[in-house]
Amino acid sequence: MAKFLNTSATNYYLEELIKGASDRLILISPFLKLNDRIKELLEDKNRLKIDVRIVYGKSELQPMEISWLNELSFIRTSFCKNLHAKCYINESSCIITSLNLYEFSQVNNNEMGVHVSRDDDPEMYKDTYEEAQRIIRISDEVRISLEKIEKPKKLNESAKPSSVTKNGEPSKITSSKLAIKFKLKTPELIAMLITGGYVEELDEKQVLTEKGEASGGEAKTGRFGAYLIWPETFNPIQKS
């Protein structure tokens, strides 16, 4: 039987739903804007290699958040035109609610929702899950990209190649962007970096080796965790 949720209960059950996902997680929300707590929970799901699908109708992510999201290889994003539904599902329960994922809605708004357990109400859970799958099917899976818009140059300003910094060294890009450059998925690139001896995996994290550092790789720590950057000219593909 469905359980009514007020604002605080919706927040509580949403967090428990994300934490409890052990096989799959579907987050459907019109606005792709995540607060820090949701980001922390999603990072943990990614470390555990849980299949996460986020369906949204409009992205309000900041540039640093886009880079952060692109590093999470087990989280897929899909764009759905005219999306207004808000529904969050794991393999055992779901929440249908007015609550968005971003912080303002959770702090300042009065929300309502219902929590459905697969064990207590299998028919309603099944109907909700099937509708979520339909929304996924009509959505377009996308990889959110960050495009740099060049400022117009002055008439007497000499043009510099976009891949070179002011000191003449190659500019650096994240692992996910390097993967895109070689038409690879990020996990495929990481596996290639490990095989090539540029990176090693310690405690489920990628760490630069001496060879990786010699190739220009750098470990960075941003607001949303650690990540690696590489010279744009770096070619990790092993030749036979």
Side-chain angles (χ1 to χ4, degrees):
M1 186 175 186
K3 180 177 182 177
F4 172 78
L5 306 176
N6 61 16
T7 304
S8 58
T10 303
N11 283 303
Y12 170 78
Y13 275 95
L14 174 58
E15 182 168 331
E16 292 302 304
L17 184 146
I18 296 174
K19 288 195 296 187
S22 59
D23 180 46
R24 62 179 177 270
L25 176 65
I26 302 171
L27 304 176
I28 298 174
S29 180
F31 298 101
L32 182 53
K33 184 177 181 182
L34 309 172
N35 67 31
D36 288 345
R37 180 57 177 162
I38 295 293
K39 291 189 183 87
E40 180 182 304
L41 294 172
L42 290 179
E43 283 181 340
D44 188 50
K45 296 295 104 174
N46 187 71
R47 281 191 289 269
L48 294 172
K49 300 182 180 179
I50 305 300
D51 180 30
V52 179
R53 176 66 70 97
I54 301 175
V55 184
Y56 68 97
K58 181 181 178 181
S59 173
E60 296 187 356
L61 294 179
Q62 298 301 310
M64 189 178 291
E65 292 175 305
I66 293 174
S67 297
W68 166 82
L69 185 60
N70 284 337
E71 291 293 328
L72 304 180
S73 54
F74 288 90
I75 296 180
R76 294 179 290 166
T77 53
S78 295
F79 171 78
C80 183
K81 185 179 179 182
N82 299 325
L83 180 66
H84 199 261
K86 296 148 191 142
C87 182
Y88 313 113
I89 306 174
N90 67 14
E91 63 276 359
S92 61
S93 65
C94 67
I95 297 172
I96 305 167
T97 178
S98 60
L99 180 72
N100 283 303
L101 290 176
Y102 58 87
E103 188 169 20
F104 177 83
S105 180
Q106 295 182 4
V107 173
N108 298 295
N109 292 349
N110 292 303
E111 308 288 353
M112 289 186 186
V114 291
H115 176 267
V116 180
S117 168
R118 184 178 184 178
D119 292 335
D120 296 339
D121 198 336
E123 185 174 349
M124 187 171 181
Y125 174 89
K126 177 175 176 289
D127 290 343
T128 306
Y129 180 78
E130 288 180 350
E131 179 61 15
Q133 289 297 315
R134 186 192 71 81
I135 290 175
I136 291 173
R137 287 195 299 272
I138 66 172
S139 303
D140 296 318
E141 185 172 344
V142 296
R143 193 67 169 170
I144 301 173
S145 61
L146 176 60
E147 295 182 358
K148 182 179 179 182
I149 300 175
E150 297 291 339
K151 294 180 180 179
K153 292 182 172 60
K154 296 178 182 179
L155 292 176
N156 61 350
E157 184 180 354
S158 59
K160 293 188 177 83
S162 59
S163 60
V164 177
T165 60
K166 290 180 179 179
N167 60 9
E169 296 179 356
S171 59
K172 296 187 177 182
I173 56 178
T174 62
S175 299
S176 60
K177 287 189 177 181
L178 190 64
I180 292 170
K181 178 179 177 181
F182 291 102
K183 295 181 170 55
L184 298 169
K185 294 181 179 179
T186 303
E188 293 174 335
L189 176 72
I190 296 299
M192 191 175 292
L193 292 170
I194 292 173
T195 302
Y198 302 101
V199 170
E200 60 182 353
E201 201 158 28
L202 296 175
D203 298 326
E204 298 184 351
K205 294 182 180 180
Q206 286 82 46
V207 179
L208 279 174
T209 62
E210 290 185 5
K211 183 178 179 181
E213 291 178 351
S215 300
E218 287 185 54
K220 295 286 186 179
T221 303
R223 182 180 176 188
F224 306 114
Y227 61 98
L228 301 177
I229 60 173
W230 307 89
E232 249 185 333
T233 54
F234 175 54
N235 185 351
I237 298 178
Q238 301 298 302
K239 298 179 181 179
S240 56

